[in-house]
Amino acid sequence: MSTAKKTTQKRRPPRRTLTETVVPPIPGESLTSWVGELARQQDFEMQPLLRELHLDRLGGLAAAETRLSDPVLRQMERLTGVDAEHLHAMTLARYAGNALPHLPVLASDGVAVQQWSKGAWLHRSLARWCPKCLRSNSSRWLLRWKLPWSFACVDHAVYMVTECQSCWDTVHFRHDAPPQRNCDNMTDEGEWTYDLKGPCGHPLNMCQPVPVSDDSVLALQERVNVWLDGTPTHEDRHLVALAAVLIPLLSPSMVRRGDPLLRYAVRSPRGTAQRQRNGKRPWTDSLRVAAAVYAADRLLDRGYPASDIADWIFDMRLLDHRRRPWRMDVAELAYGPGLRPNPFVEPLVHRGLITLGG
């Protein structure tokens, strides 16, 4: 070995490791949020921290948030002092038995994860958040916000925010990076722009959420949260199953006695579009999901069988002159929250309200 090479090796800085007492995760926090807070506390660059925690072996931070392998769990538990149960609770695997069925066993199985993610009902890149929560917990993001079923914040009695209120565009998570604190959408009037376009820069925790004026909406969110936590009743499962198929089939008549904001969400051109702009699905709108859960609860309270519920939905859509059927991908039915077999799908297919495709 040459003298120059030996000298270079001697001057190479020693590998950094976690030294201070590691910041603990808050209840319900997502893995990406906690790793980002850990990087800030330890003054670590993201890529070296991922290598230190062995998260790079799973394909990066986004893949690791799906499921952690046993060797990575042991490494993270040893370095951070956070036990494996809490680490697992920060990944989407905690919802594998209900909101995200058929989750691949191995996070590193790219083909299986890709097939699953095509039909899984989650927001892998689209952000939704409660600004009041972000202001009270130093901008720590919760895992359940990645699911469409988080439509309201029970703690602050507000609807979830899905758009920046400065540029009025959806906020996207950066790949393999912790959730941003400021909107980085490129706009013509960005806060720090010196050119034609610049980042919006609006603090996401300063957005003003819309208050929930109907207490029943908060009660329904609490019921859905029980389902997400894996301890639902038979009625809770039926509520979610019906709401899942109602989201694309909603019409204004179905929520005419509910929160006026929910009627607006369904009646507005934005809400009536089955395929929203940029290819987004109907369940990306938190108000629409809230309206679907509200309508499902009112229907189930009447004790109707699945066939009568399908007839009611058919009649309501005729009143609102919306006869176009919803095309449901089989992957949505298999991997989404419908939890095959969904007792409400077959009657709706029979009446031509849903068509199943590949």
Side-chain angles (χ1 to χ4, degrees):
M1 184 181 295
S2 66
T3 304
K5 191 171 184 180
K6 289 182 179 179
T7 304
T8 303
Q9 287 184 347
K10 290 180 181 179
R11 292 177 179 175
R12 183 177 299 169
R15 179 178 174 178
R16 285 197 58 191
T17 186
L18 303 179
T19 55
E20 305 176 24
T21 302
V22 169
V23 56
I26 65 173
E29 188 173 11
S30 70
L31 184 69
T32 56
S33 173
W34 177 67
V35 171
E37 189 66 22
L38 183 61
R40 281 188 285 270
Q41 182 217 23
Q42 302 277 331
D43 194 23
F44 246 99
E45 293 292 335
M46 185 54 60
Q47 291 306 317
L49 180 59
L50 295 183
R51 288 194 297 269
E52 180 72 11
L53 298 176
H54 290 182
L55 295 178
D56 59 326
R57 301 182 181 184
L58 300 178
L61 189 56
E65 193 171 55
T66 301
R67 186 191 294 274
L68 295 172
S69 63
D70 289 339
V72 173
L73 269 175
R74 289 194 295 270
Q75 172 73 358
M76 295 181 66
E77 192 174 21
R78 180 179 67 83
L79 290 179
T80 66
V82 180
D83 60 79
E85 182 180 356
H86 283 86
L87 292 171
H88 169 78
M90 290 190 286
T91 67
L92 296 170
R94 67 173 296 176
Y95 301 124
N98 41 34
L100 298 173
H102 311 300
L103 186 73
V105 176
L106 300 176
S108 57
D109 190 346
V111 176
V113 171
Q114 183 180 15
Q115 177 64 31
W116 166 79
S117 62
K118 288 181 180 179
W121 282 34
L122 78 151
H123 304 305
R124 189 168 294 280
S125 61
L126 292 175
R128 66 171 53 191
W129 67 97
C130 171
K132 293 188 176 183
C133 285
L134 293 181
R135 290 199 290 268
S136 63
N137 64 19
S138 301
S139 294
R140 311 280 284 273
W141 291 65
L142 304 187
L143 180 67
R144 64 173 178 266
W145 293 351
K146 288 204 167 185
L147 301 177
W149 297 109
S150 291
F151 49 83
C153 175
V154 176
D155 295 333
H156 298 106
V158 295
Y159 287 106
M160 302 296 291
V161 177
T162 57
E163 294 177 335
C164 170
Q165 294 176 351
S166 178
C167 63
W168 293 108
D169 198 1
T170 53
V171 177
H172 293 263
F173 292 121
R174 292 189 293 267
H175 181 67
D176 276 349
Q180 58 268 37
R181 299 190 174 192
N182 298 324
C183 174
D184 58 2
N185 289 326
M186 301 302 291
T187 65
D188 292 330
E189 299 178 356
E191 183 177 342
W192 304 294
T193 182
Y194 296 96
D195 204 340
L196 293 179
K197 286 187 178 292
C200 170
H202 186 70
L204 299 182
N205 61 359
M206 296 308 295
C207 293
Q208 297 300 318
V210 178
V212 177
S213 62
D214 189 347
D215 290 340
S216 64
V217 174
L218 298 177
L220 290 172
Q221 179 67 82
E222 290 181 332
R223 286 185 60 184
V224 171
N225 289 343
V226 170
W227 172 68
L228 292 177
D229 291 337
T231 55
T233 63
H234 178 73
E235 291 74 17
D236 294 336
R237 292 191 179 94
H238 269 68
L239 173 69
V240 174
L242 179 55
V245 295
L246 264 181
I247 292 173
L249 298 177
L250 279 173
S251 66
S253 297
M254 299 181 189
V255 290
R256 63 181 181 271
R257 295 183 180 177
D259 188 334
L261 186 62
L262 299 184
R263 293 201 301 274
Y264 165 77
V266 177
R267 186 184 296 114
S268 67
R270 169 185 166 181
T272 54
Q274 290 184 329
R275 303 266 179 176
Q276 297 190 29
R277 65 183 187 273
N278 300 328
K280 292 191 300 180
R281 307 292 281 176
W283 41 261
T284 59
D285 189 341
S286 58
L287 293 178
R288 191 176 184 86
V289 176
V293 177
Y294 177 87
D297 179 60
R298 294 301 177 269
L299 272 174
L300 293 175
D301 277 348
R302 301 177 184 181
Y304 293 157
S307 58
D308 290 350
I309 289 177
D311 289 335
W312 183 87
I313 296 173
F314 183 83
D315 293 341
M316 292 296 100
R317 286 173 61 82
L318 283 180
L319 286 177
D320 296 312
H321 309 290
R322 298 188 59 214
R323 304 180 183 181
R324 181 181 175 185
W326 168 252
R327 181 178 178 83
M328 177 180 284
D329 196 307
V330 173
E332 286 183 22
L333 187 59
Y335 298 112
L339 298 177
R340 293 181 73 177
N342 187 322
F344 303 103
V345 171
E346 184 177 350
L348 293 171
V349 172
H350 179 71
R351 286 157 181 77
L353 294 174
I354 291 178
T355 60
L356 297 178

